[in-house]
Amino acid sequence: MRFLPEHRSPRVAVVGFGYVGCCLGVALAENGITVVGIENDPALVARLRAGQCPVPEPGVTEALARLAGSPDLSFTTDYDGLLDADVVVITVGTPVDEHGSLMTEQLERVCEQVAPRLRPGRLVIVKSTVVPGTTRTLVAPLLEHGGLTQERDFGLVCCPERLAEGEALAQIGELPVVVGGSGPEGVAAAARFWERVLSVPTRVLPSSDAAETVKLATNWWIDANVAMANELAQFCAAFDIDVTDVIGASNSLPKGAGNVNILQPGIGVGGACLTKDPWMAWRAAMDRGVRLRTIDTARRVNDGMPAYTAEMILEELVKLGRDPAAAEIAVLGVAFKGGTGDLRNTPVKEVVGHLRGAGARVRMYDPLVDPDRMRAEMGATVADSLDDAVRGTDAVALLAGHPQFRDVPPERLRDLVPAPALVFDGRSYFTAEEIARLRELGFHYRGVGR
Ligand SMILES: NC(=O)c1ccc[n+]([C@@H]2O[C@H](COP(=O)([O-])OP(=O)(O)OC[C@H]3O[C@@H](n4cnc5c(N)ncnc54)[C@H](O)[C@@H]3O)[C@@H](O)[C@H]2O)c1
């Protein structure tokens, strides 16, 4: 294989050791691959060297602690660290500006540093999320400034990162890797690389442009699907139908290559990707004169969910005869996604803002989020335990889908929360039987579409 060593494991440089870089670097090192993490934030490098995990991802903390000091995983701010690497994986951030346009500064700085250090026979893999054409028209020319030519001297491919937060380490050894490049040698080397280092299959596409589009298409689909579920929830609420019954039965219909697959409604969409990638696609299309209405609509529907959620909670309090301005509300779960402690763009922040804006006092509890960070970012009172959060409140709002809250029995709430109080279910935690039990115990139940 022209761009990979034949008789030894490839050495890998991961450039940008944020969320994606960290998960990937740790997974490769755990599989016995020598990895150097190149990161331009010296404070982050110091933390990583001390074995401290910068990302709230299950399993990564433990793996980093295990690997601390191991020659399999080292960190540096110095780009010379990639001189020995056979494969350079680029995982820097690709934010969008206020118009949805991809900001390529991080990617450009990386290419400028990698170009003069590139040696013949190397393979460069772009994992960052970008608009179609970025690898071909931006990354390739910047790397070729170093004097080498892609496909002849080095391989260049795009393999968009597709891991889901909260499940990244589990998925990394299973999920097929999408590969697209401008030439057969680079593509073949990349396919071989992923099969060798992670034993995962690859899905080869005819171009890097197509591979780049896969990532955008996937997040476009997820966001649009959730938006449909969120509007279906509002539809069901208007007819007093439980949306989870409708989704469960709808999803039993075979359609296309699988079944209908309506995702769960919720209190909004957060995180680093779903909030920006659809806009990145929308803007890139606009720049070519194509207006994508599903993206625009889905983004607005999902962005409207936190305000809708807060309205439902306040409305139910009024129905219970409570003055929202004097109410105490327990918010259970503040992360944007169940099973993670990630607060980036969490819709819970906006819900809490609306509740506090109406005068309510909010107590938050999230077992997966550092209390100091929660206090700093969310601005409300932080409770030490679930019991402390809910005790004596007028409403308990479950807003993040953590598995920890699945086994909160209605009886436990009854002992801590004076009925009649509201139980608001933002993530469809409760089964029909549990809802009936909550009502028997004197609670008022409301969920999104329930
Ligand atoms: N977070 C996710 O769940 C996820 C999932 C799939 C894809 N992606 C995509 O992967 C890419 C990375 O995402 P992330 O969440 O890891 O971003 P991040 O912001 O957490 O990490 C990027 C890291 O790159 C570092 N960096 C920036 N410029 C650098 C440079 N010139 N040299 C070295 N390091 C540099 C930053 O300091 C930061 O630590 C993005 O394109 C994102 O859209 C993210």
Side-chain angles (χ1 to χ4, degrees):
M1 199 60 50
R2 204 202 295 181
F3 301 130
L4 271 192
E6 288 278 352
H7 305 297
R8 62 171 172 78
S9 294
R11 289 182 294 255
V12 179
V14 175
V15 186
F17 229 78
Y19 175 83
V20 169
C22 193
C23 293
L24 178 66
V26 161
L28 291 173
E30 289 253 278
N31 277 10
I33 304 296
T34 303
V35 176
V36 57
I38 300 185
E39 167 56 57
N40 71 348
D41 176 353
L44 178 53
V45 168
R47 282 182 68 193
L48 289 162
R49 282 182 178 154
Q52 290 168 14
C53 183
V55 295
E57 184 65 27
V60 177
T61 307
E62 298 76 2
L64 258 177
R66 265 196 307 277
L67 288 160
S70 146
D72 285 340
L73 185 60
S74 58
F75 306 99
T76 178
T77 53
D78 184 352
Y79 271 85
D80 282 351
L82 61 76
L83 288 171
D84 282 340
D86 304 295
V87 179
V88 178
V89 186
I90 301 175
T91 51
V92 289
T94 47
V96 296
D97 67 14
E98 70 273 25
H99 308 294
S101 295
L102 167 65
M103 294 166 76
T104 53
E105 286 76 5
Q106 294 184 36
L107 204 52
E108 289 177 48
R109 295 298 86 75
V110 170
C111 293
E112 286 158 12
Q113 294 293 331
V114 172
R117 294 171 175 87
L118 211 50
R119 301 287 176 266
R122 305 300 203 249
L123 173 66
V124 179
I125 300 176
V126 177
K127 277 210 141 276
S128 301
T129 303
V130 291
V131 300
T134 307
T135 304
R136 185 173 46 81
T137 64
L138 180 79
V139 176
L142 285 171
L143 292 180
E144 288 183 341
H145 266 143
L148 302 183
T149 302
Q150 66 153 328
E151 197 57 11
R152 188 189 71 196
D153 305 312
F154 69 94
L156 174 62
V157 294
C158 170
C159 299
E161 183 54 71
R162 306 197 294 156
L163 297 173
E165 279 198 59
E167 297 152 61
L169 279 197
Q171 286 190 341
I172 222 162
E174 290 171 4
L175 208 62
V177 175
V178 168
V179 180
S182 53
E185 292 289 346
V187 168
R192 182 104 184 89
F193 170 71
W194 294 113
E195 279 154 21
R196 263 167 80 176
V197 298
L198 291 175
S199 309
V200 287
T202 50
R203 188 79 192 234
V204 173
L205 289 176
S207 65
S208 52
D209 296 32
E212 290 159 343
T213 307
V214 169
K215 175 71 192 176
L216 298 180
T218 310
N219 280 349
W220 176 357
W221 178 83
I222 296 170
D223 201 48
N225 189 323
V226 172
M228 188 255 167
N230 283 334
E231 288 212 313
L232 179 63
Q234 293 171 52
F235 178 91
C236 287
F239 288 90
D240 207 8
I241 296 165
D242 188 324
V243 71
T244 61
D245 291 339
V246 173
I247 291 177
S250 301
N251 289 355
S252 66
L253 179 73
K255 199 80 199 164
N259 273 13
V260 169
N261 185 16
I262 304 173
L263 299 175
Q264 288 299 318
I267 65 154
V269 166
C273 292
L274 286 178
T275 50
K276 76 159 165 97
D277 293 352
W279 284 128
M280 194 189 285
W282 178 86
R283 181 77 248 172
M286 277 291 255
D287 291 345
R288 295 206 166 206
V290 179
R291 190 187 164 101
L292 301 175
R293 281 165 300 176
T294 53
I295 288 183
D296 201 344
T297 304
R299 283 283 68 236
R300 288 181 206 290
V301 169
N302 291 334
D303 280 350
M305 290 309 288
Y308 174 70
T309 299
E311 265 167 40
M312 279 192 279
I313 295 172
L314 295 170
E315 202 178 284
E316 295 303 321
L317 280 170
V318 171
K319 281 190 205 160
L320 277 171
R322 310 284 164 90
D323 174 7
E328 289 232 46
I329 301 173
V331 164
L332 302 184
V334 299
F336 89 88
K337 185 174 181 188
T340 82
D342 198 337
L343 293 184
R344 288 181 294 178
N345 300 315
T346 176
V348 180
K349 185 173 179 171
E350 200 185 323
V351 178
V352 169
H354 282 291
L355 297 176
R356 294 181 79 211
R361 273 171 296 160
V362 175
R363 267 184 248 163
M364 303 173 301
Y365 173 68
D366 192 315
L368 301 181
V369 179
D370 173 57
D372 290 336
R373 264 196 64 219
M374 209 188 318
R375 207 168 284 116
E377 292 198 25
M378 312 282 297
T381 306
V382 174
D384 291 334
S385 66
L386 187 143
D387 288 8
D388 285 348
V390 303
R391 189 174 288 117
T393 50
D394 300 288
V396 176
L398 290 112
L399 299 188
H402 296 327
Q404 283 85 344
F405 301 143
R406 288 220 183 280
D407 49 16
V408 176
E411 286 72 14
R412 184 159 159 214
L413 291 179
R414 187 232 7 232
D415 293 343
L416 294 162
V417 186
L422 169 67
V423 172
F424 181 81
D425 185 359
R427 301 289 181 179
S428 302
Y429 269 107
F430 293 101
T431 61
E433 294 72 36
E434 285 167 333
I435 294 169
R437 182 76 188 122
L438 281 168
R439 288 186 171 137
E440 268 169 35
L441 293 171
F443 287 107
H444 198 85
Y445 174 91
R446 180 137 180 209
V448 181
R450 310 186 78 192

